């Protein structure tokens, strides 16, 4: 009887551990796991649209900085409903194209025909650097294309 009870307890603990591990969001490389069809070495950042709907042209240096951040970023799927106040960056070139939406609290999305998955940037320093670059682009009034 003690063996059966022990086996049942062990089975319950194992099942609980499996469910916890299976439900934990997996860390993914933005470059290798999310943007699998994009060759980042052949794209550049073109335009930024601010939360106030101002459009900015992105310089070559800022494009390189943004691509460097995208290449090194790790993310995990997040469950937030209807994120707001985003900055949008368009990337395109011979390697493909995509649009990156940056939200408050380290969240991003890269919409496709299949999904609008929200991701959380795992490393806060990279998220802060991403915001710093986007703020720098918006501070340079010469980059603005719309009024």
């Amino acid at each position: 009887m003690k063996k059966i009870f022990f086996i049942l307890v062990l089975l319950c603990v194992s099942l609980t551990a499996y469910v916890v591990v299976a439900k934990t969001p997996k860390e993914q490389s933005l470059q290798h796991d999310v943007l699998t069809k994009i060759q980042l070495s052949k794209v550049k950042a073109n335009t930024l649209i601010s939360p106030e709907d101002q459009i900015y042209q992105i310089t070559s240096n800022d494009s390189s900085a943004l691509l460097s951040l995208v290449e090194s970023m790790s993310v995990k799927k997040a469950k937030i409903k209807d994120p707001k106040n985003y900055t949008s960056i368009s990337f395109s070139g011979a390697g493909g194209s995509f649009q990156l939406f940056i939200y408050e609290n380290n969240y991003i999305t890269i919409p496709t025909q299949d999904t609008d998955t929200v991701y959380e940037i795992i490393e806060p320093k990279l998220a802060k650097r991403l915001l710093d670059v986007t703020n720098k682009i918006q501070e340079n009034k010469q980059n603005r294309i719309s009024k």
Side-chain angles (χ1 to χ4, degrees):
M1 186 70 168
K2 286 183 180 181
K3 285 184 180 182
I4 293 174
F5 180 72
F6 179 74
I7 290 172
L8 285 174
V9 168
L10 186 62
L11 188 62
C12 288
V13 168
S14 299
L15 183 60
T16 303
Y18 172 76
V19 168
V20 168
V21 170
K23 293 289 183 182
T24 303
K26 308 278 187 281
E27 183 176 322
Q28 299 176 310
S29 162
L30 193 59
Q31 178 181 11
H32 299 294
D33 299 323
V34 179
L35 296 171
T36 56
K37 296 179 181 175
I38 304 294
Q39 291 179 309
L40 289 178
S41 62
K42 296 182 179 181
V43 300
K44 67 178 217 166
N46 300 310
T47 55
L48 178 145
I49 302 175
S50 71
E52 298 80 28
D53 291 330
Q54 298 291 322
I55 302 172
Y56 298 86
Q57 187 167 347
I58 298 175
T59 65
S60 180
N61 288 342
D62 291 335
S63 175
S64 296
L66 288 167
L67 283 168
S68 175
L69 289 168
V70 168
E71 288 171 349
S72 60
M73 210 174 279
S74 292
V75 296
K76 65 182 177 183
K77 289 183 180 179
K79 294 181 181 177
I80 61 170
K81 300 258 190 225
D82 200 23
K84 302 208 180 335
N85 296 330
Y86 61 85
T87 298
S88 167
I89 301 175
S90 297
F91 294 83
S92 65
S97 64
F98 66 97
Q99 200 164 12
L100 176 68
F101 289 85
I102 305 164
Y103 301 94
E104 298 172 343
N105 301 325
N106 305 343
Y107 295 111
I108 61 170
T109 59
I110 301 172
T112 65
Q113 289 180 332
D114 304 326
T115 182
D116 284 342
T117 303
V118 177
Y119 297 98
E120 180 179 3
I121 302 170
I122 293 174
E123 192 171 329
K125 287 181 183 180
L126 288 177
K128 183 180 178 339
R129 284 179 39 207
L130 181 63
L131 288 176
D132 289 345
V133 173
T134 60
N135 288 337
K136 178 184 166 242
I137 292 167
Q138 294 174 67
E139 287 170 1
N140 187 346
K141 304 259 187 255
Q142 293 176 338
N143 292 338
R144 190 166 50 192
I145 330 179
S146 70
K147 296 180 180 182

